[in-house]
Structure formats: structure tokens, C-alpha cells
Amino acid sequence: MLLKDGYKLIRTKGSHRIYIKKTRRIVIPFHSGRMLHPKIVKQVIKALD
């Protein structure tokens, strides 16, 4: 979803992935094999607006 909106993965630190687009930065928790909590998905969608 972030990549389609033009964000690029700039780095991974621990269990977090950091995406950036111009001056906006979004940090997403990432755990292999697990789904994101619906609240986190809602926060990401809100941040994209």
C-alpha cells in the first residue's frame, strides 16, 4: 500500500520498517508471518491522507 503511494523503504531497524516520501516518514512494525493489527492499518491509512 505504501509502495503504491510512492513511499520507498529506506531502512529496517529491529522489527520496524521505515518508509519515506519527500519529507514524510512512516514507521511500521514488522514481524515475519504475522498480520498487522487493524488499528495500525487504520493509522497508516490516516497518515497517507
Side-chain angles (χ1 to χ4, degrees), residues 17-44:
R17 290 187 173 179
I18 301 163
Y19 296 87
I20 194 165
K21 179 181 177 183
K22 297 182 183 178
T23 59
R24 297 189 76 182
R25 185 180 70 155
I26 297 178
V27 180
I28 306 289
F30 177 78
H31 301 282
S32 182
R34 295 181 68 191
M35 292 180 62
L36 286 176
H37 193 277
K39 284 186 178 180
I40 295 173
V41 174
K42 186 176 179 180
Q43 290 173 348
V44 169

Side-chain angles (χ1 to χ4, degrees), residues 1-10 18-26 47-49:
M1 184 167 66
L2 291 171
L3 297 175
K4 286 183 181 181
D5 194 43
Y7 282 82
K8 292 192 314 186
L9 176 66
I10 57 168
I18 301 163
Y19 296 87
I20 194 165
K21 179 181 177 183
K22 297 182 183 178
T23 59
R24 297 189 76 182
R25 185 180 70 155
I26 297 178
L48 292 176
D49 289 337

